[in-house]
């Protein structure tokens, strides 16, 4: 059975990184978690590129907006990463 992003966040395996993407909260993630992070980030990158082109913005600007929005939407009990790289449970 495949692990979903929601399930991985709920279990504290994945959090919203300070880069606008997701990352493993654990230092040694499983192969399933690594694959989920890679797949999710690839989709986000494509989305950021589309938004960048449609709105004449740099990828960095779009990524910063994505990072802020993701942190804001992080549910209580889920992890997000501070600017200094520390994982915090909301």
């Amino acid at each position: 059975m495949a692990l979903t992003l929601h399930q991985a966040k709920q279990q504290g395996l994945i959090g919203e990184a300070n880069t606008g993407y997701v990352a493993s909260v654990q230092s040694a993630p499983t192969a399933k978690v690594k694959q989920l992070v890679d797949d999710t980030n690839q989709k986000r990158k494509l989305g950021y590129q589309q938004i960048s082109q449609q709105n004449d913005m740099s990828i960095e600007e779009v990524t910063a907006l994505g990072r802020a929005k993701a942190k804001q939407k992080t549910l209580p009990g889920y992890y997000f990463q501070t600017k200094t790289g520390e994982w915090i449970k909301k």
Side-chain angles (χ1 to χ4, degrees):
M1 196 163 147
L3 183 67
T4 67
L5 181 61
H6 177 72
Q7 290 169 332
K9 285 183 172 185
Q10 192 173 39
Q11 294 174 26
L13 302 172
I14 291 176
E16 290 294 334
N18 61 12
T19 59
Y21 295 94
V22 295
S24 172
V25 175
Q26 303 171 325
S27 59
T30 65
K32 283 184 182 182
V33 170
K34 285 181 190 178
Q35 187 63 51
L36 182 57
V37 166
D38 290 345
D39 291 348
T40 301
N41 288 339
Q42 184 178 19
K43 290 175 187 173
R44 281 196 185 181
K45 184 176 182 178
L46 290 173
Y48 289 163
Q49 288 171 339
Q50 288 177 341
I51 292 168
S52 171
Q53 291 171 353
Q54 291 169 352
N55 295 285
D56 195 29
M57 297 170 68
S58 71
I59 287 289
E60 291 78 16
E61 290 172 310
V62 175
T63 303
L65 291 172
R67 176 178 57 244
K69 185 176 179 181
K71 182 180 174 185
Q72 181 182 15
K73 292 177 107 179
T74 297
L75 298 174
Y78 288 25
Y79 285 95
F80 69 92
Q81 194 176 40
T82 65
K83 290 180 183 180
T84 59
E86 181 182 2
W87 286 104
I88 302 287
K89 190 181 274 192
K90 190 171 184 181

